[in-house]
Amino acid sequence: MKVVFAGTPEFARLAYAAIADAGFDVPLVMTQPDRRAGRGMKLSPSAVKQEALARGAELIQPLSLRLDGKHPEEAVAAKEALQAVQPDVIVVAAYGLILPQWTLDLAPYGCLNIHASLLPRWRGAAPIQRAIEAGDEYSGIGIMQMEAGLDTGPVLLEKQLKIGRMNAAQLHDALASLGAEAIVEVLTKLAAEGDAAFEPSVQAKEGVTYAAKLTKEEALLDWAESAMVLERRIRAFTPVPGARVNLAGFDEPVKVWSAELLETAHELAPGTILARSAEGVDVACGQGALRLTELQRAGGRRQTAEQFIQGWRN
């Protein structure tokens, strides 16, 4: 079975590596163009590109796949490259480019997307973060047959896991491993059984939610909200864009890396500091209180609460 892989970040790299390690022929890899990153703003290759280069795979990085878009010459070249390898299936994981209809129709088994949610809940850009923010008990992976709609296609295989107290980084890593396992399972069955391998499950029309892209503006927390809501947001926004709070004595918002819910009753104004200790900075919220256990000053480094309070201006 010939598999074309399309993906960009670390989440996708794990899936690509698993597919290749399972012995599938991956004659072509597609990833986003190199982006400028870091303090020096040097061009940086994606995680998938680095993996493809290490494996000696053929690689393309089109700016667009739309034949009628702003970069039609790139789209045409990509189409020719895909047609040349004649893939049986295209696997997509956090690729970052919209796949037009010609790509969906190109391979006999179409395009399979590794999606990090239990569809139809959390279609869209940030399913991992939004699941944590909403207080969902479970998240998971769906291997979805792609179609023109946004994450609307039928699901071939689904695997779930309990979120617990994980932050976005931890849930990302857990789902990346689960996604790599799931896509290998699907491809193995397709290679052995063909069209009879799966009866795709059409997504329910009820329970559809959309995971909007995170913004820096919403990462500035409001102490007037409940401690439970704020604790979930801190986990959802860790590490990016990073939850920030206003604290007395600081001219700029402080980044919060981790926090704990406190069973503390109070009648104080939201944002009032209740206590400062080596265990954390306790802050009154609209309902309940929150203990901030890891913090970072603007321009500073990540610190424990004990380290952080040593430099606190009273």
Side-chain angles (χ1 to χ4, degrees):
M1 174 177 277
K2 288 184 182 178
V3 181
V4 163
F5 187 84
T8 299
E10 179 65 14
F11 182 92
R13 185 198 68 79
L14 285 183
Y16 165 48
I19 291 168
D21 289 344
F24 289 98
D25 180 14
V26 188
L28 182 67
V29 174
M30 301 196 299
T31 192
Q32 285 260 8
D34 296 1
R35 304 296 187 194
R36 296 193 181 278
R39 292 185 177 180
M41 293 301 289
K42 295 181 180 179
L43 284 173
S44 178
S46 72
V48 166
K49 179 177 180 176
Q50 294 178 58
E51 185 73 26
L53 292 175
R55 293 176 180 271
E58 182 182 351
L59 181 77
I60 59 173
Q61 297 177 267
L63 289 167
S64 172
L65 295 173
R66 291 184 54 183
L67 299 173
D68 59 349
K70 293 181 179 179
H71 306 280
E73 68 289 345
E74 300 241 349
V76 169
K79 185 175 183 178
E80 291 174 351
L82 281 163
Q83 289 174 329
V85 300
Q86 296 183 323
D88 295 298
V89 64
I90 300 173
V91 173
V92 183
Y95 179 33
L97 288 185
I98 294 174
L99 270 60
Q101 193 63 44
W102 70 261
T103 55
L104 304 180
D105 297 338
L106 189 141
Y109 293 118
C111 295
L112 302 181
N113 178 240
I114 307 171
H115 187 75
S117 82
L118 300 174
L119 292 164
R121 187 160 176 80
W122 303 127
R123 295 172 179 172
I128 293 173
Q129 295 88 344
R130 298 304 182 189
I132 295 173
E133 182 186 22
D136 290 3
E137 185 177 2
Y138 291 94
S139 182
I141 288 289
I143 306 300
M144 180 192 68
Q145 187 82 52
M146 295 181 71
E147 57 184 30
L150 176 64
D151 300 330
T152 58
V155 177
L156 278 65
L157 179 69
E158 187 174 84
K159 291 179 179 286
Q160 71 174 23
L161 56 75
K162 194 166 186 176
I163 295 175
R165 309 304 297 176
M166 283 191 277
N167 63 29
Q170 294 163 338
L171 183 55
H172 168 280
D173 292 350
L175 290 176
S177 296
L178 196 63
E181 173 189 314
I183 192 61
V184 169
E185 183 178 334
V186 167
L187 293 177
T188 300
K189 286 198 70 175
L190 281 177
E193 304 174 31
D195 289 328
F198 297 96
E199 290 186 16
S201 176
V202 176
Q203 292 186 39
K205 294 182 179 179
E206 299 77 27
V208 175
T209 57
Y210 290 92
K213 186 177 179 180
L214 303 182
T215 66
K216 288 185 178 180
E217 290 74 23
E218 65 181 317
L220 181 59
L221 305 185
D222 183 353
W223 290 119
E225 296 198 77
S226 75
M228 181 179 294
V229 167
L230 296 178
E231 189 274 339
R232 292 199 304 246
R233 285 194 180 144
I234 289 167
R235 287 190 288 117
F237 298 161
T238 297
V240 177
R244 296 170 296 133
V245 297
N246 290 310
L247 287 178
F250 293 90
D251 297 329
E252 297 183 55
V254 172
K255 185 173 182 178
V256 181
W257 285 88
S258 62
E260 300 171 359
L261 287 170
L262 294 177
E263 295 181 3
T264 302
H266 68 83
E267 295 182 0
L268 299 172
T272 301
I273 305 298
L274 302 175
R276 291 183 290 179
S277 69
E279 285 72 39
V281 179
D282 300 351
V283 187
C285 304
Q287 276 187 300
L290 208 56
R291 172 168 290 170
L292 313 181
T293 55
E294 288 184 281
L295 306 98
Q296 182 177 348
R297 295 173 175 81
R301 59 184 177 85
R302 181 175 178 176
Q303 296 178 311
T304 64
E306 184 175 16
Q307 294 168 327
F308 182 84
I309 63 176
Q310 290 174 1
W312 196 311
R313 296 203 307 270
N314 293 316

